[in-house]
Amino acid sequence: MFAAFATVVSGRAVEQATPFTPEEYWALWKHFQTLDGTANYYTSTEHNDRYDVFCKNMDFAREFNTNKTNSFKLGVTMFADKTQDEFKQWLKLTSGTKPKKTGLRKTFDATKYGTDPATKDWVDLGAVTPIKNQGQCGSCWAFSTTGGIEGQNFLVNNKLSSFSEQELVDCSGAQGNQGCNGGLMDDGFEYVEASGLCYESAYPYEATDGTCRSSSCTSQVSVSGYTDITQGDTAALKTACANEGPISIAVDANTYWQLYTSGIFSHYCNPNSLDHGVLLVGYGSDYWKVKNSWGTGWGEDGYIRLTGTSENTCGLANSASYPKVDHN
């Protein structure tokens, strides 16, 4: 069993030329069940139905990976027991991340900066908290919001702290957010500007909508506005990321994201169909580096690389912003 598992799984990407045996499917399934954030099954029928879906997804991933022209791999993730239609429906929970068109905005001015460095990685520079997991709640926008605040807090106050997504889920409805049914990062920044934000440890994540209890903890960060990057301007986005820190962004996380395990993602995305909030944490010579909120069992230890620093891959430059964090 262990030998079969080793031949099937390489960094959770399924790579072999021949169809899986029943034993290999089962080994992959047992591995899937160890991933953080996977759903629970309450009946044997539900378990068997999900196992059938999982096996079909593994067939899809294996066939995709046999095409050596593809620049990324598919395999076992926490969403491997969902059909593509179910995954699309789950993503629709976060459709509130589509950019707003109204209201006054402070827009990023790229002209005041010099030449961008060839590469940038805010993870290596200590400005990014460890990978988190939103679970089955459509709260990606909250994780993107805290990621932007955490990065700026590190740069301004020289301290890397994890802030509460659950407080945003429970308490920022007045700004237009809808908890586990979606929201906007800018609206999250506006909540923190008005009310502050507690540490994650004081208001821990529960992956469900709850009653606001911000009064039970003490705000640990102050925000005084935010800056938007001009919609679709990848050059400005790169400059902002290079000089200002991690950037809260929205993307079209299509069904190829569902099973992504490694490589530079270069598949078609619809830049006008944003459905997922994430965090831009850097770039290389030919890719954007993005932090996701689907646990370390997805992607490259929780990250994805999107092709091309001049390309608006998956619409990542269409709804980008970062907050202004005040000195403590």
Side-chain angles (χ1 to χ4, degrees):
M1 180 66 73
F2 289 109
F5 182 70
T7 62
V8 172
V9 179
S10 174
R12 299 183 334 281
V14 292
E15 300 187 64
Q16 66 180 54
T18 58
F20 298 129
T21 65
E23 292 77 17
E24 288 170 335
Y25 281 125
W26 191 251
L28 287 166
W29 178 247
K30 298 304 290 184
H31 173 63
F32 162 75
Q33 292 179 317
T34 68
L35 299 181
D36 181 38
T38 54
N40 295 318
Y41 312 120
Y42 297 100
T43 67
S44 58
T45 299
E46 183 182 12
H47 173 277
N48 294 340
D49 288 345
R50 288 296 144 193
Y51 180 63
D52 288 342
V53 171
F54 175 86
C55 291
K56 291 176 182 177
N57 280 333
M58 292 304 98
D59 290 339
F60 175 78
R62 186 190 67 79
E63 291 175 8
F64 180 89
N65 293 341
T66 60
N67 185 346
K68 300 306 180 183
T69 65
N70 291 323
S71 60
F72 62 100
K73 300 293 185 182
L74 305 180
V76 182
T77 72
M78 64 178 279
F79 304 108
D81 64 341
K82 293 181 182 293
T83 67
Q84 290 188 359
D85 285 342
E86 288 170 336
F87 184 69
K88 289 177 183 176
Q89 289 300 315
W90 183 78
L91 285 174
K92 284 183 179 180
L93 292 175
T94 61
S95 60
T97 55
K98 292 179 180 178
K100 292 180 178 178
K101 302 293 186 182
T102 61
L104 295 175
R105 289 290 193 264
K106 180 180 179 181
T107 304
F108 178 73
D109 180 9
T111 62
K112 65 179 183 179
Y113 301 92
T115 303
D116 298 333
T119 63
K120 194 76 176 190
D121 193 330
W122 289 107
V123 179
D124 289 347
L125 293 170
V128 181
T129 57
I131 293 293
K132 303 179 185 182
N133 196 331
Q134 69 187 82
Q136 302 300 312
C137 170
S139 55
C140 60
W141 59 272
F143 287 83
S144 180
T145 299
T146 59
I149 292 171
E150 288 161 356
Q152 291 302 311
N153 186 59
F154 173 81
L155 294 170
V156 172
N157 294 307
N158 197 32
K159 182 179 181 182
L160 185 63
S161 302
S162 181
F163 292 103
S164 175
E165 293 81 22
Q166 191 64 45
E167 181 179 351
L168 292 169
V169 168
D170 293 347
C171 305
S172 66
Q175 283 72 30
N177 292 321
Q178 302 175 55
C180 286
N181 290 312
L184 287 161
M185 287 74 82
D186 285 358
D187 289 346
F189 296 147
E190 289 178 6
Y191 167 80
V192 180
E193 185 174 3
S195 305
L197 192 63
C198 296
Y199 284 147
E200 182 97 51
S201 58
Y203 201 143
Y205 188 63
E206 298 173 347
T208 188
D209 290 311
T211 302
C212 181
R213 55 184 188 279
S214 58
S215 60
S216 68
C217 57
T218 302
S219 171
Q220 301 292 338
V221 66
S222 176
V223 166
S224 55
Y226 55 89
T227 299
D228 286 338
I229 286 72
T230 300
Q231 185 173 341
D233 191 339
T234 55
L237 178 61
K238 183 180 178 183
T239 298
C241 181
N243 294 280
E244 296 293 342
I247 309 294
S248 297
I249 61 173
V251 295
D252 170 31
N254 61 29
T255 53
Y256 285 88
W257 282 59
Q258 179 181 356
L259 302 177
Y260 169 83
T261 57
S262 64
I264 298 178
F265 187 94
S266 58
H267 206 273
Y268 172 77
C269 292
N270 185 352
N272 299 313
S273 182
L274 306 182
D275 55 19
H276 186 50
V278 288
L279 188 72
L280 179 64
V281 296
Y283 57 85
S285 60
D286 60 348
Y287 64 85
W288 304 97
K289 182 176 180 178
V290 174
K291 180 187 182 185
N292 205 349
S293 53
W294 293 347
T296 57
W298 178 89
E300 296 179 328
D301 296 323
Y303 294 88
I304 185 172
R305 287 179 291 161
L306 301 178
T307 188
T309 56
S310 62
E311 298 181 44
N312 191 11
T313 308
C314 296
L316 86 168
N318 285 355
S319 184
S321 59
Y322 61 92
K324 183 180 186 300
V325 168
D326 300 328
H327 287 281
N328 288 341

